[in-house]
Amino acid sequence: MKILVCSDSHGDYFSLNDIVFKNYDCDYFFHLGDSGLPEYLLSNFSGVKGNCDFNDLPKIREIEIEGLKIHLEHGDSFHFMTNPTKYVESLDCDIFLFGHTHKKLSEKINNKYIFNPGSLTRPRDGDKGSYLIIEIKDKKVLSYKFVEVKE
């Protein structure tokens, strides 16, 4: 299974459509909040609500794919921001996905993968937006890569 993960697109509907078109072979598309768009424009994505969103998406979403439990949230909750390691360890998940910081991150803590795809349109760790592609199979993360958005 191939999963595309993005976050913090802040109203840029065209960038979202572009990455879906370029990655048509992905099985799942996740948006981690601050899309700045109404739900009907996010129809390709399973998503969560960010601190800048006014849609009715959930704040947290948990999905199981290929035997792996995946936790999605924006990353602006009090518990996550005050003690992220303890918070992630308290969750029953194999992969923890969050946005909010606009900075790419990949870590593995106690057999849990932690990813932030960075910001699709307003990066704070470079001058190019980014998203993440994760490949999983047989209860394992086979690979992951950050993809920079070319203007």
Side-chain angles (χ1 to χ4, degrees):
M1 291 283 154
K2 200 170 178 181
I3 303 166
L4 183 146
V5 184
C6 68
S7 187
D8 298 280
S9 53
H10 291 280
D12 192 334
Y13 175 71
F14 298 106
S15 289
L16 284 176
N17 273 341
D18 189 48
I19 64 171
V20 169
F21 178 73
K22 289 178 179 173
N23 295 280
Y24 63 88
D25 62 334
C26 286
D27 300 292
Y28 295 91
F29 296 86
F30 296 157
H31 197 294
L32 303 177
D34 283 0
S35 69
L37 297 169
E39 289 177 69
Y40 73 90
L41 292 178
L42 296 169
S43 61
N44 291 316
F45 292 86
S46 293
V48 294
K49 184 176 187 170
N51 60 300
C52 293
D53 287 325
F54 297 100
N55 53 38
D56 288 327
L57 292 172
K59 294 285 282 175
I60 292 172
R61 189 179 295 252
E62 294 182 341
I63 298 171
E64 187 167 327
I65 300 172
E66 291 280 327
L68 293 176
K69 295 178 184 178
I70 303 172
H71 177 96
L72 290 72
E73 68 176 72
H74 186 58
D76 63 327
S77 72
F78 172 78
H79 296 292
F80 178 68
M81 292 178 68
T82 55
N83 194 336
T85 302
K86 184 178 179 182
Y87 177 70
V88 172
E89 286 176 346
S90 75
L91 298 172
D92 181 26
C93 67
D94 301 297
I95 301 172
F96 179 84
L97 302 174
F98 74 103
H100 187 60
T101 66
H102 296 224
K103 295 179 181 180
K104 297 179 287 296
L105 174 77
S106 63
E107 288 185 19
K108 191 171 183 185
I109 299 175
N110 296 331
N111 294 323
K112 289 186 186 196
Y113 286 92
I114 302 167
F115 294 112
N116 185 323
S119 172
L120 189 60
T121 60
R122 298 180 187 175
R124 293 182 184 149
D125 58 356
D127 60 350
K128 293 186 178 166
S130 62
Y131 58 94
L132 176 68
I133 302 287
I134 304 171
E135 291 191 63
I136 60 175
K137 184 177 181 181
D138 298 327
K139 298 185 180 184
K140 293 182 184 171
V141 173
L142 296 178
S143 67
Y144 63 89
K145 69 177 178 177
F146 294 97
V147 180
E148 289 185 339
V149 176
K150 308 274 190 281
E151 299 269 340

